[in-house]
Amino acid sequence: MYEDKTLKCKECGNDFVFTAGEQEFYAEKGFQNEPQRCKACRDARKNAGREPKEMFTTVCSKCGGEAKIPFQPSNDRPVYCSDCFAEMRSQG
């Protein structure tokens, strides 16, 4: 029913794809207009007024590699890098 469309970002001027899935989502939500900005420009605009999160570096409890986390680690709970966390989450 829908086909991918190539649109031009009004912010940066680059072409981006408005996928069939995105078009279907827009239709389900009742949105009338197509997006005017690419994802990078939409994200930049959305985060423009926000302060960047402070990240903390620690050691992964599973693999011993570097783990960057958005909270101050405490010694009473294990902390995992993103790879180990994703692996553990997929295992259930």
Side-chain angles (χ1 to χ4, degrees):
M1 182 168 163
Y2 296 101
E3 291 183 23
D4 290 356
K5 288 184 184 178
T6 301
L7 304 175
K8 186 172 286 296
C9 177
K10 79 175 198 176
E11 195 84 20
C12 67
N14 291 331
D15 289 341
F16 67 97
V17 177
F18 185 34
T19 67
E22 291 170 329
Q23 292 174 52
E24 188 174 347
F25 173 80
Y26 271 52
E28 287 174 7
K29 295 294 181 183
F31 298 148
Q32 300 292 317
N33 301 318
E34 295 177 341
Q36 296 183 359
R37 291 176 180 84
C38 64
K39 176 145 177 50
C41 289
R42 285 194 313 260
D43 290 345
R45 186 176 169 102
K46 184 170 75 171
N47 295 325
R50 294 185 182 168
E51 217 174 280
K53 283 186 179 179
E54 182 179 3
M55 298 297 280
F56 299 90
T57 303
T58 189
V59 176
C60 175
S61 297
K62 185 173 181 186
C63 71
E66 183 180 274
K68 290 192 181 277
I69 54 175
F71 56 88
Q72 179 73 43
S74 61
N75 293 329
D76 62 335
R77 298 187 70 184
V79 175
Y80 303 103
C81 66
S82 55
D83 291 337
C84 290
F85 183 78
E87 180 184 322
M88 292 172 62
R89 199 164 208 197
S90 68
Q91 292 175 355

